[in-house]
Amino acid sequence: YNHTGLTSATTYYYKLFSYDGTYYSPGVEVNATTLVPTGGESYTYNGGLGSYGTINLTTGAFTSWNFKPQGSSYYPVTADNDTLNSQYAIISDFGFPAGYYLMHVNFTTLTGDSIGVVGPLASGQNVIKGMAYNSVNNNWYVVSGNDFGTAAYLYTLNITTGALTVVGQIQNANLPVGMAIDCNGNAYIINVVSGASNTAVLNSLNLSTAVATAIGTDLGLANVTGFSQDMDIDPSNGNVYWSGYWASGFFNEGGSFRLVNVTNGTSTQISTFGQYETITGFNVNEYCVPSTTFQLSVNVTDGWNMVSIPGLNTPDQNVNTWWAFRDLGANVFRYSGGYQPVTDATPGIGYWMKH
């Protein structure tokens, strides 16, 4: 017996009777308390078990809630949140081609509300691969791909209707399998590079231009697939988590829950999942605290200046956004074992900029 639509952290009492056609038994009384995760836990959907639940971010242990608000013929392909104990999820209907629907899932009341159809996808695109919320500009983003891994697109998502608006075709990454955005507005995708053994590569993603830039060369999960994965960032500490999935021949596949290093593009396995246990609709139960805005004016001299940035700019952190009158004939450099040209600035790092 499944009792759905319950409120989290609430004790429910039941009395069970047997009946022989004439008389009822005295009955047996039982009770149970529904679960609710603390901040730092994560909500996710386990495709093998067909249920939402939580993943412990330290051990990777999954706890099923026997909760499936989207119905038995649908599953969440990706999700993110902007508040505690809820998520916005993009749901697939398993069709050919698949149809996608936006749903708001409330993990306190254990209910789900359908918002609308997600689309339209760009020409030649038929698979949604990831979504993420950017707290810096209060925008939602979606990435898509196709069945052949030959092209991918970036969109903004209207969270009240499900409508997509194309930002552009993603450059340098054709098969993304997840997307996450940190509290500073830095976006990341995981791109699968096809080969004898598919390789997953972490990329940064410019949300204005849709240009992806590889970070490292291999996240370390062999035979990674191009489907059924998700990722998110823990705003409390900046950790990036990836629920990868691999396959090697028939009936030889499984999941891998991993911690990603965004500096060098490697990852460490936290736990494994069995065949068909795809971990999607994944979000950490934390959210970014809104930042304050302020006006900034700094005098610089002609020639080379040592500069840094105190926060985040709108619409992006490109060096041309920060220093609109810099000498375009000279790169902006940071020092890391040598002078390295950069296109985007990061708070707290010093740069040489020629005005």
Side-chain angles (χ1 to χ4, degrees):
Y1 174 73
N2 290 324
H3 190 181
T4 60
L6 306 181
T7 300
S8 301
T10 302
T11 301
Y12 290 84
Y13 297 87
Y14 304 87
K15 192 167 185 176
L16 311 177
F17 301 90
S18 62
Y19 179 58
D20 63 6
T22 304
Y23 301 102
Y24 286 95
S25 70
V28 176
E29 294 182 355
V30 295
N31 67 79
T33 302
T34 51
L35 304 175
V36 63
T38 59
E41 280 280 5
S42 64
Y43 296 103
T44 193
Y45 184 79
N46 186 314
L49 300 181
S51 173
Y52 267 103
T54 60
I55 285 185
N56 184 295
L57 297 178
T58 301
T59 67
F62 176 78
T63 301
S64 175
W65 283 19
N66 295 315
F67 172 53
K68 192 171 185 176
Q70 73 278 7
S72 59
S73 299
Y74 301 82
Y75 83 105
V77 296
T78 183
D80 204 1
N81 65 306
D82 58 357
T83 59
L84 293 177
N85 299 319
S86 68
Q87 69 171 216
Y88 288 94
I90 294 179
I91 308 294
S92 170
D93 64 3
F94 279 114
F96 295 96
Y100 294 97
Y101 307 89
L102 184 63
M103 172 175 280
H104 182 259
V105 182
N106 187 317
F107 293 108
T108 300
T109 60
L110 296 182
T111 56
D113 297 313
S114 180
I115 296 173
V117 175
V118 177
L121 294 177
S123 177
Q125 299 285 284
N126 63 341
V127 186
I128 289 179
K129 297 290 190 175
M131 70 180 293
Y133 174 62
N134 185 358
S135 63
V136 174
N137 61 12
N138 195 34
N139 283 335
W140 291 78
Y141 293 87
V142 167
V143 290
S144 72
N146 59 33
D147 289 333
F148 309 103
T150 56
Y153 277 77
L154 173 67
Y155 313 78
T156 57
L157 168 68
N158 186 320
I159 206 65
T160 63
T161 66
L164 296 176
T165 301
V166 172
V167 175
Q169 182 174 348
I170 298 176
Q171 304 301 306
N172 310 319
N174 291 331
L175 187 51
V177 292
M179 182 183 192
I181 303 175
D182 67 19
C183 293
N184 294 323
N186 299 308
Y188 301 93
I189 57 173
I190 291 175
N191 182 51
V192 175
V193 180
S194 299
S197 174
N198 289 351
T199 302
V201 180
L202 181 69
N203 282 248
S204 63
L205 180 64
N206 187 305
L207 296 175
S208 298
T209 64
V211 173
T213 303
I215 303 173
T217 58
D218 189 350
L219 280 164
L221 180 60
N223 300 309
V224 64
T225 68
F227 56 85
S228 299
Q229 302 174 53
D230 213 346
M231 62 187 298
D232 197 17
I233 292 176
D234 185 345
S236 68
N237 55 24
N239 285 347
V240 177
Y241 297 92
W242 168 40
S243 55
Y245 198 75
W246 61 271
S248 180
F250 293 107
F251 306 111
N252 185 28
E253 58 188 79
S256 178
F257 188 60
R258 308 178 75 89
L259 178 65
V260 176
N261 185 319
V262 298
T263 301
N264 59 23
T266 61
S267 69
T268 303
Q269 182 167 272
I270 299 173
S271 66
T272 60
F273 287 89
Q275 187 170 345
Y276 308 131
E277 287 195 73
T278 53
I279 303 300
T280 59
F282 166 66
N283 75 271
V284 177
N285 190 35
E286 295 280 358
Y287 66 96
C288 297
V289 177
S291 59
T292 57
T293 60
F294 57 92
Q295 295 293 323
L296 175 69
S297 178
V298 177
N299 292 324
V300 295
T301 60
D302 287 341
W304 288 100
N305 294 262
M306 176 64 80
V307 294
S308 65
I309 63 175
L312 300 177
N313 207 341
T314 301
D316 55 43
Q317 312 317 307
N318 189 275
V319 294
N320 294 328
T321 302
W322 275 104
W323 302 294
F325 302 103
R326 72 181 186 88
D327 184 346
L328 297 180
N331 287 319
V332 175
F333 295 92
R334 64 170 292 186
Y335 187 84
S336 180
Y339 289 102
Q340 301 176 353
V342 300
T343 57
D344 293 284
T346 300
I349 294 178
Y351 302 96
W352 281 109
M353 182 276 298
K354 189 176 183 182
H355 185 68

